[in-house]
Amino acid sequence: QVQLVESGGGLAQPGGSLRLSCAASGSISSINIMGWHRQAPGKQRELVARIFGGDNTYYTDSVKGRFTISRDNAKNTVFLQMDSLKSEDTAVYYCNARQSPFGSGGSWGQGTQVTVSS
């Protein structure tokens, strides 16, 4: 299991930006899928964005056009650039590494809190 450590969370105003980082203990080039998930109080953890198979990307509808996932294989790091933040983006954000898109498996980071408030 690869170890993942998230950073970059914090407080932002509506319309502001944050950049989350996920540092992996090993090479991410050997992992099929790297992704970001989030969990708000009272809700299930949801998939936010994924990067896979030759820099293909997926975004959940609520963040399309505002969030961008990217990776730097040389630094074994995955990023989530979050722009035009909304209050509903408030959640704990988790990095995930897995080989299959099914289920809740793979390796998870400890999470980083993102709070969007004026």
Side-chain angles (χ1 to χ4, degrees), residues 17-94:
S17 297
L18 286 172
R19 188 190 190 209
L20 306 184
S21 297
C22 171
S25 62
S27 175
I28 61 173
S29 64
S30 64
I31 301 173
N32 289 342
I33 303 168
M34 297 295 300
W36 289 94
H37 301 238
R38 67 186 180 187
Q39 187 166 23
K43 294 186 176 181
Q44 293 286 326
R45 188 173 300 185
E46 66 170 341
L47 173 63
V48 176
R50 276 177 169 156
I51 186 165
F52 59 97
D55 293 324
N56 293 298
T57 58
Y58 163 85
Y59 300 94
T60 193
D61 287 344
S62 63
V63 308
K64 286 181 179 177
R66 300 188 298 118
F67 290 10
T68 304
I69 187 170
S70 62
R71 63 187 174 200
D72 186 335
N73 289 341
K75 297 181 179 179
N76 295 321
T77 303
V78 178
F79 305 97
L80 185 68
Q81 178 68 43
M82 304 186 294
D83 298 319
S84 301
L85 284 164
K86 304 175 180 179
S87 60
E88 52 262 46
D89 295 319
T90 296
V92 178
Y93 284 70
Y94 299 90

